[in-house]
Amino acid sequence: MSKFPVRTAIRDAIAEEMRLNPNVFLIGEEVGEYEGAYKVSQGLISEFGNHRIVDTPITEAGFTGLAVGASMGGLRPIVEFMTWNFAFQAIDQIINSAAKTYYMSGGLINIPIVFRGPNGSALQVAAQHSHDLSALFTNIPGLKVLAPYDSADAKGLLKSAIRDPNPVIFLENELLYNEVFEVPEIDYSIPIGSANIKKLGSDITITSFSRGVHAALKAAELLEKENISAEVIDLRTLRPLDTNTIIKSVKKTNRIVSVEEGWMSSGIGAEIISEVSSKAFDYLDAPPERIAALDVPLPYASNLEKLCIPDQDSIFKLCMTLF
Amino acid sequence: MKQDFDFSSIIDDLGGGRLLAKNLSQFTNTVLNEKTVYSWKQQGIPDKWKPSIIKLLIKVGANIPNNFMPPGMNINNFQDNFSKNTELLNKYDNFDDSDVSKKQLQLFYEKMLYLRRFEERVGQLYGLGLIGGFCHLYIGQEAVSVGMEAAINKDDSVITGYRCHAHLISRGASPYKLLCELMGKGDGISKGKGGSMHMFDPKNNFWGGHGIVGAQVPIGTGIAFASKYLDKSSLSLIYFGDGAANQGQVYESYNMASLWRLPIIFCIENNQYGMGTSIKRASAGTDLSKHGESFGIPGYAVNGMNPISVYLAALKAVKWVRDGNGPIILEMKTYRYRGHSMSDPAKYRTREEVQKMREEQDPIEFIKKKLIDLEIYNEDKLKSIDDKIRSEISGLAEKATNSISTSEKYLYTDVLSENYDE
């Protein structure tokens, strides 16, 4: 094992897959000469050249549609959105073109493509740069949706995403880019669709994904001090959701809290609680609960912003109400 | 800055004060007095007139003195890619009637007639309730698809919007499978899951069949990107309508296509109405062939009711693109006789307008007359071809009608591909 920040893990996944398959290329704003707005693509242009690391104009709808067409033409595009907020400009091409073509063509045309970039809130970038699109994309058949937390998962899942024959939404997090985690030194990939139990426990299940996992783990430490043993599940893949792992855990702990940084309404938590209610209802000793971003566009001011996103204290408090 | 020229020579280069006043007035849509222009000989040309004068100098091919430029401008502001590319395109030989063989005329007739009879039958089947949903017929526009197809290769890619039946058939897709798709049958080209607007035939290099107006334009641009990336010689032919021409992503595509010199023919099928809105009410600049100007994409307007004009224009466009010059725009001035879709109140145009087009500009009638005038076919032969096409389509329609509905087993298939070996 060696230690890398998430940023490097993502870059390495891209580079390794590009070395393996000449038809894989990276396209997006500032990915080449600027080496990525968040420096994720650092060094790639010097290895692969501007033929395969393609700087685009600021034209999200255009280059997303272009990438969909390129995948029809036999390539495997990795589309970087500078942040996922800007993908709203391109949402039609993602949903109507990338996600639906395989079905509408009766299986004649598949679209192997990865859409990736930082998702959700960062620090004080306000509502238009803090949107968490996780729940939105999980609503769409024809897409796979990944939201890794640590470096090993980011690398292993991105490699699977690039090899996948379908459109894959890969949600990164700006605040995780600098976080350092262990990464296996062997060649590996992580299968899409499997959650990971980050901490074993027996009294309550906490599910989360992306940066939410960090807060969930911290909350579990607080619970430990109250002699409550929390099991923390990193969902990793949001669609298809690994409900088996969640249900199995709930059957053991009899309590569940879902944590997400997106909004509550029709969110990931709603989906998880619905699954738990129908598949493990008799095992529940307390109502299934969820915590999410407050139901407002994310404010700019630091104190207000902090109030909006679930943290270890708010998760801890919610968990305590279930005992 | 030291002046190394005198204003009077510039004015003389442009035909003297009187002519320059007239030209500038026309050019800028303002009234400019002749005496004012004469006075410039002594007093100098005001900066605000310089850009227009530079454009006129370029037009007549006169020399432009270096420090004549108004502040903050240089010659590159005027000699953009457009003028270079247009100039270059103009030097390309035009193809003429001698490039159209007898055989080609026969094919134009047969293929256009096939498309017309096919769409007429589709209209009937829709009327009988055998086809559902949205259905957009191509009747009237046949010359475009047939003329363009004759100029490209099978390796080239074609993509269009939802008025796609004709383009599929022109590419070589099975008309039976199309009819099955329209009727939601298991033999349908998309197993009955796409319908009229979403049909694909990758084996024949046809990439849809797209239901969102204009969305096919960046996708087709991406197919050209892949062609260039993979070092292939194939081009991408992207059809869209005058309605789609107002979508932002069309201009995003123009920009990238020109920036990266992608092998693309942007073929605008201007049938004068985006659904029920006439182009005059929808486009601030109705000269769609020129919409690529600032991107350096040359273009020209073509009589899209005449398959020979379409074909000859397409030959030139194909040569332009294959020579590595980047994209080109062809604006096909065409007309659809039927409604936008099957549910069209047609209140936005008069019956007389449609009737006039049918009577005076019908592409099939035009070719028919040509074939007779050139004594290639006589009336009997033309009629026998029509009869043969009608009976073939009748047979296919009957077979499709009687084929089985698509299976419920297809409901959950083709959502995600599991084929990881590709």
Side-chain angles (χ1 to χ4, degrees), chain A residues 22 59 62 93 103-104 164 166, chain B residues 190 222 229 249 252 411 417 420:
Chain A
T59 186
Q93 290 292 357
Y103 193 79
M104 291 195 304
D164 200 277
N166 301 290
Chain B
S190 301
Y229 185 103
Q249 52 186 328
E252 298 189 23
L411 186 57
S417 166
Y420 282 81

Side-chain angles (χ1 to χ4, degrees), chain B residues 123-303:
Chain B
Q124 287 168 9
L125 294 169
Y126 195 94
L128 291 170
L130 294 167
I131 296 173
F134 293 121
C135 186
H136 309 82
L137 302 180
Y138 199 64
I139 296 171
Q141 301 180 208
E142 296 89 348
V144 179
S145 169
V146 167
M148 290 302 299
E149 186 63 39
I152 61 169
N153 296 335
K154 282 290 166 199
D155 291 343
D156 298 324
S157 299
V158 172
I159 192 165
T160 186
Y162 41 75
R163 199 180 302 284
C164 64
H165 311 161
H167 304 91
L168 275 148
I169 294 173
S170 294
R171 282 264 88 183
S174 151
Y176 167 71
K177 284 188 163 190
L178 261 61
L179 288 163
C180 285
E181 186 61 34
L182 290 163
M183 290 191 268
K185 305 289 190 173
D187 281 351
I189 198 161
S190 301
K191 300 180 193 158
K193 298 197 281 193
S196 167
M197 300 186 286
H198 314 108
M199 299 200 235
F200 305 81
D201 191 5
K203 281 205 177 107
N204 282 307
N205 257 319
F206 180 81
W207 301 92
H210 292 266
I212 305 297
V213 177
Q216 76 273 21
V217 181
I219 297 175
T221 305
I223 295 172
F225 177 92
S227 171
K228 190 165 182 177
Y229 185 103
L230 297 167
D231 230 355
K232 291 182 181 172
S233 61
S234 55
L235 60 81
S236 178
L237 169 56
I238 304 173
Y239 290 101
F240 54 104
D242 48 300
N246 294 317
Q247 285 279 31
Q249 52 186 328
V250 169
Y251 299 88
E252 298 189 23
S253 301
Y254 284 172
N255 184 38
M256 290 185 292
S258 184
L259 197 61
W260 298 331
R261 281 200 169 214
L262 301 178
I264 299 171
I265 299 174
F266 292 104
C267 183
I268 307 174
E269 296 193 74
N270 177 1
N271 65 16
Q272 324 292 335
Y273 296 93
M275 216 168 150
T277 305
S278 92
I279 181 165
K280 293 187 191 91
R281 293 203 296 130
S283 287
T286 54
D287 205 346
L288 302 181
S289 67
K290 298 221 168 114
H291 280 199
E293 271 190 22
S294 59
F295 301 99
I297 306 177
Y300 41 94
V302 182
N303 177 3

Side-chain angles (χ1 to χ4, degrees), chain A residues 1-321:
Chain A
M1 289 276 184
S2 41
K3 288 192 163 189
F4 287 116
V6 174
R7 171 186 285 111
T8 311
I10 293 168
R11 194 268 316 273
D12 288 352
I14 296 170
E16 285 174 22
E17 291 305 305
M18 286 186 69
R19 283 175 208 131
L20 285 174
N21 185 345
N23 291 344
V24 176
F25 71 102
L26 178 68
I27 182 167
E29 291 154 4
E30 310 290 2
V31 296
E33 293 187 14
Y34 196 92
E35 306 201 292
Y38 297 99
K39 295 284 171 261
V40 170
S41 53
Q42 197 147 36
L44 293 182
I45 196 164
S46 63
E47 178 173 355
F48 299 103
N50 60 10
H51 181 63
R52 297 182 68 194
I53 306 293
V54 183
D55 275 327
T56 68
I58 300 169
T59 186
E60 284 87 4
F63 72 68
T64 306
L66 180 142
V68 172
S71 81
M72 287 182 181
L75 305 182
R76 286 184 169 255
I78 303 169
V79 178
E80 175 173 313
F81 292 114
M82 193 180 288
T83 89
W84 272 100
N85 300 274
F86 309 154
F88 283 117
Q89 293 272 359
I91 207 84
D92 176 62
Q93 290 292 357
I94 298 173
I95 295 174
N96 271 320
S97 301
K100 295 178 184 171
T101 295
Y102 190 56
Y103 193 79
M104 291 195 304
S105 68
L108 290 178
I109 300 170
N110 66 309
I111 310 290
I113 192 166
V114 177
F115 301 107
R116 52 156 288 270
N119 175 57
S121 65
L123 285 178
Q124 285 195 275
V125 289
Q128 288 181 336
H129 286 69
S130 302
H131 200 119
D132 182 338
L133 286 78
S134 314
L136 191 152
F137 284 123
T138 59
N139 193 236
I140 314 293
L143 294 179
K144 295 184 179 181
V145 184
L146 314 182
Y149 165 58
D150 62 26
S151 304
D153 285 350
K155 184 176 176 186
L157 279 170
L158 185 53
K159 284 170 74 93
S160 293
I162 297 167
R163 293 174 196 175
D164 200 277
N166 301 290
V168 179
I169 305 291
F170 194 84
L171 305 167
E172 299 159 13
N173 186 295
E174 189 197 325
L175 299 175
L176 289 176
Y177 281 149
N178 273 344
E179 296 297 315
V180 176
F181 300 93
E182 286 189 334
V183 179
E185 275 163 23
I186 50 157
D187 182 25
Y188 73 102
S189 65
I190 289 171
I192 291 170
S194 76
N196 184 28
I197 299 172
K198 295 296 278 187
K199 179 186 169 299
L200 281 167
S202 53
D203 303 331
I204 184 168
T205 301
I206 306 174
T207 64
S208 195
F209 55 95
S210 192
R211 194 168 65 110
V213 174
H214 179 75
L217 288 168
K218 288 282 176 203
E221 284 174 20
L222 295 177
L223 288 165
E224 216 66 46
K225 289 176 190 157
E226 305 292 327
N227 281 327
I228 294 169
S229 158
E231 180 147 303
V232 178
I233 298 177
D234 178 0
L235 298 170
R236 302 196 291 193
T237 299
L238 302 177
R239 182 185 180 99
L241 193 62
D242 182 1
T243 40
N244 283 343
T245 299
I246 301 167
I247 299 296
K248 216 174 135 191
S249 174
V250 171
K251 285 182 177 174
K252 178 174 72 176
T253 62
N254 313 113
R255 286 175 180 81
I256 183 163
V257 165
S258 155
V259 177
E260 68 192 293
E261 293 196 350
W263 290 301
M264 188 176 280
S265 173
S266 307
I268 305 295
E271 180 64 24
I272 288 174
I273 290 174
S274 166
E275 287 285 335
V276 167
S277 302
S278 83
K279 291 179 181 152
F281 188 75
D282 292 339
Y283 293 84
L284 288 169
D285 288 343
E289 278 294 351
R290 55 186 166 151
I291 184 166
L294 297 190
D295 209 15
V296 294
L298 205 72
Y300 160 75
S302 177
N303 60 331
L304 296 184
E305 182 185 46
K306 207 169 170 300
L307 291 173
C308 288
I309 305 293
D311 60 11
Q312 57 194 68
D313 296 327
S314 56
I315 298 167
F316 168 74
K317 276 184 200 152
L318 179 62
C319 290
M320 288 305 289
T321 66

